PDB file of all heavy atoms in Angstrom:
ATOM      1  N   LYS A 368     -12.618 -31.482 -11.822  1.00 59.00           N
ATOM      2  CA  LYS A 368     -11.385 -31.977 -12.437  1.00 59.00           C
ATOM      3  C   LYS A 368     -10.172 -31.399 -11.730  1.00 59.00           C
ATOM      4  O   LYS A 368      -9.160 -32.069 -11.550  1.00 59.00           O
ATOM      5  CB  LYS A 368     -11.352 -31.637 -13.930  1.00 59.00           C
ATOM      6  CG  LYS A 368     -12.336 -32.435 -14.766  1.00 59.00           C
ATOM      7  CD  LYS A 368     -12.199 -32.078 -16.234  1.00 59.00           C
ATOM      8  CE  LYS A 368     -13.174 -32.890 -17.081  1.00 59.00           C
ATOM      9  NZ  LYS A 368     -13.069 -32.535 -18.519  1.00 59.00           N
ATOM     10  N   PHE A 369     -10.287 -30.137 -11.331  1.00 58.00           N
ATOM     11  CA  PHE A 369      -9.206 -29.500 -10.584  1.00 58.00           C
ATOM     12  C   PHE A 369      -8.947 -30.261  -9.282  1.00 58.00           C
ATOM     13  O   PHE A 369      -7.811 -30.579  -8.938  1.00 58.00           O
ATOM     14  CB  PHE A 369      -9.573 -28.046 -10.300  1.00 58.00           C
ATOM     15  CG  PHE A 369      -8.700 -27.371  -9.274  1.00 58.00           C
ATOM     16  CD1 PHE A 369      -7.381 -27.077  -9.550  1.00 58.00           C
ATOM     17  CD2 PHE A 369      -9.209 -27.022  -8.034  1.00 58.00           C
ATOM     18  CE1 PHE A 369      -6.576 -26.446  -8.624  1.00 58.00           C
ATOM     19  CE2 PHE A 369      -8.418 -26.392  -7.097  1.00 58.00           C
ATOM     20  CZ  PHE A 369      -7.098 -26.101  -7.394  1.00 58.00           C
ATOM     21  N   LEU A 370      -9.995 -30.590  -8.559  1.00 59.00           N
ATOM     22  CA  LEU A 370      -9.843 -31.275  -7.279  1.00 59.00           C
ATOM     23  C   LEU A 370      -9.462 -32.741  -7.450  1.00 59.00           C
ATOM     24  O   LEU A 370      -8.862 -33.340  -6.562  1.00 59.00           O
ATOM     25  CB  LEU A 370     -11.147 -31.169  -6.472  1.00 59.00           C
ATOM     26  CG  LEU A 370     -11.536 -29.746  -6.053  1.00 59.00           C
ATOM     27  CD1 LEU A 370     -12.879 -29.755  -5.331  1.00 59.00           C
ATOM     28  CD2 LEU A 370     -10.470 -29.123  -5.173  1.00 59.00           C
ATOM     29  N   ASP A 371      -9.820 -33.336  -8.583  1.00 62.00           N
ATOM     30  CA  ASP A 371      -9.497 -34.744  -8.815  1.00 62.00           C
ATOM     31  C   ASP A 371      -8.009 -34.971  -9.081  1.00 62.00           C
ATOM     32  O   ASP A 371      -7.505 -36.077  -8.929  1.00 62.00           O
ATOM     33  CB  ASP A 371     -10.287 -35.285 -10.019  1.00 62.00           C
ATOM     34  CG  ASP A 371     -11.723 -35.586  -9.656  1.00 62.00           C
ATOM     35  OD1 ASP A 371     -12.003 -35.722  -8.452  1.00 62.00           O
ATOM     36  OD2 ASP A 371     -12.555 -35.677 -10.576  1.00 62.00           O
ATOM     37  N   ASN A 372      -7.311 -33.935  -9.477  1.00 63.00           N
ATOM     38  CA  ASN A 372      -5.926 -34.082  -9.910  1.00 63.00           C
ATOM     39  C   ASN A 372      -4.951 -34.105  -8.730  1.00 63.00           C
ATOM     40  O   ASN A 372      -4.014 -33.321  -8.658  1.00 63.00           O
ATOM     41  CB  ASN A 372      -5.568 -32.937 -10.870  1.00 63.00           C
ATOM     42  CG  ASN A 372      -4.231 -33.141 -11.545  1.00 63.00           C
ATOM     43  OD1 ASN A 372      -3.736 -34.264 -11.647  1.00 63.00           O
ATOM     44  ND2 ASN A 372      -3.640 -32.064 -12.002  1.00 63.00           N
ATOM     45  N   PHE A 373      -5.170 -35.049  -7.794  1.00 59.00           N
ATOM     46  CA  PHE A 373      -4.349 -35.087  -6.592  1.00 59.00           C
ATOM     47  C   PHE A 373      -2.885 -35.378  -6.883  1.00 59.00           C
ATOM     48  O   PHE A 373      -1.992 -34.854  -6.226  1.00 59.00           O
ATOM     49  CB  PHE A 373      -4.887 -36.143  -5.609  1.00 59.00           C
ATOM     50  CG  PHE A 373      -6.172 -35.750  -4.951  1.00 59.00           C
ATOM     51  CD1 PHE A 373      -7.359 -36.370  -5.295  1.00 59.00           C
ATOM     52  CD2 PHE A 373      -6.210 -34.740  -4.012  1.00 59.00           C
ATOM     53  CE1 PHE A 373      -8.549 -36.003  -4.705  1.00 59.00           C
ATOM     54  CE2 PHE A 373      -7.397 -34.365  -3.413  1.00 59.00           C
ATOM     55  CZ  PHE A 373      -8.564 -35.004  -3.763  1.00 59.00           C
ATOM     56  N   ASP A 374      -2.632 -36.195  -7.859  1.00 62.00           N
ATOM     57  CA  ASP A 374      -1.248 -36.577  -8.148  1.00 62.00           C
ATOM     58  C   ASP A 374      -0.415 -35.382  -8.598  1.00 62.00           C
ATOM     59  O   ASP A 374       0.812 -35.393  -8.467  1.00 62.00           O
ATOM     60  CB  ASP A 374      -1.221 -37.653  -9.248  1.00 62.00           C
ATOM     61  CG  ASP A 374      -1.773 -38.974  -8.750  1.00 62.00           C
ATOM     62  OD1 ASP A 374      -1.791 -39.163  -7.517  1.00 62.00           O
ATOM     63  OD2 ASP A 374      -2.179 -39.789  -9.580  1.00 62.00           O
ATOM     64  N   GLY A 375      -1.075 -34.360  -9.109  1.00 72.00           N
ATOM     65  CA  GLY A 375      -0.339 -33.217  -9.615  1.00 72.00           C
ATOM     66  C   GLY A 375       0.015 -32.175  -8.575  1.00 72.00           C
ATOM     67  O   GLY A 375       0.748 -31.238  -8.867  1.00 72.00           O
ATOM     68  N   TYR A 376      -0.490 -32.321  -7.339  1.00 81.00           N
ATOM     69  CA  TYR A 376      -0.266 -31.315  -6.308  1.00 81.00           C
ATOM     70  C   TYR A 376       0.429 -31.921  -5.097  1.00 81.00           C
ATOM     71  O   TYR A 376       0.123 -33.037  -4.686  1.00 81.00           O
ATOM     72  CB  TYR A 376      -1.596 -30.689  -5.864  1.00 81.00           C
ATOM     73  CG  TYR A 376      -2.459 -30.219  -7.007  1.00 81.00           C
ATOM     74  CD1 TYR A 376      -3.748 -30.717  -7.178  1.00 81.00           C
ATOM     75  CD2 TYR A 376      -1.982 -29.292  -7.928  1.00 81.00           C
ATOM     76  CE1 TYR A 376      -4.549 -30.304  -8.228  1.00 81.00           C
ATOM     77  CE2 TYR A 376      -2.772 -28.868  -8.984  1.00 81.00           C
ATOM     78  CZ  TYR A 376      -4.049 -29.377  -9.133  1.00 81.00           C
ATOM     79  OH  TYR A 376      -4.833 -28.967 -10.180  1.00 81.00           O
ATOM     80  N   ASP A 377       1.348 -31.169  -4.532  1.00 85.00           N
ATOM     81  CA  ASP A 377       2.039 -31.623  -3.331  1.00 85.00           C
ATOM     82  C   ASP A 377       1.243 -31.336  -2.068  1.00 85.00           C
ATOM     83  O   ASP A 377       1.350 -32.056  -1.072  1.00 85.00           O
ATOM     84  CB  ASP A 377       3.399 -30.913  -3.203  1.00 85.00           C
ATOM     85  CG  ASP A 377       4.336 -31.273  -4.347  1.00 85.00           C
ATOM     86  OD1 ASP A 377       4.570 -32.474  -4.544  1.00 85.00           O
ATOM     87  OD2 ASP A 377       4.802 -30.355  -5.036  1.00 85.00           O
ATOM     88  N   PHE A 378       0.454 -30.271  -2.081  1.00 89.00           N
ATOM     89  CA  PHE A 378      -0.329 -29.881  -0.908  1.00 89.00           C
ATOM     90  C   PHE A 378      -1.454 -28.973  -1.373  1.00 89.00           C
ATOM     91  O   PHE A 378      -1.511 -28.572  -2.548  1.00 89.00           O
ATOM     92  CB  PHE A 378       0.547 -29.157   0.114  1.00 89.00           C
ATOM     93  CG  PHE A 378       1.130 -27.859  -0.371  1.00 89.00           C
ATOM     94  CD1 PHE A 378       0.542 -26.642  -0.054  1.00 89.00           C
ATOM     95  CD2 PHE A 378       2.275 -27.837  -1.172  1.00 89.00           C
ATOM     96  CE1 PHE A 378       1.071 -25.444  -0.516  1.00 89.00           C
ATOM     97  CE2 PHE A 378       2.812 -26.653  -1.623  1.00 89.00           C
ATOM     98  CZ  PHE A 378       2.213 -25.446  -1.299  1.00 89.00           C
ATOM     99  N   ALA A 379      -2.360 -28.625  -0.477  1.00 86.00           N
ATOM    100  CA  ALA A 379      -3.479 -27.743  -0.819  1.00 86.00           C
ATOM    101  C   ALA A 379      -3.642 -26.683   0.261  1.00 86.00           C
ATOM    102  O   ALA A 379      -3.326 -26.909   1.434  1.00 86.00           O
ATOM    103  CB  ALA A 379      -4.770 -28.538  -0.974  1.00 86.00           C
TER     104      ALA A 379
END
Side-chain angles (χ1 to χ4, degrees):
K368 289 182 179 179
F369 167 69
L370 295 177
D371 282 341
N372 190 22
F373 288 108
D374 291 339
Y376 310 122
D377 296 305
F378 63 98

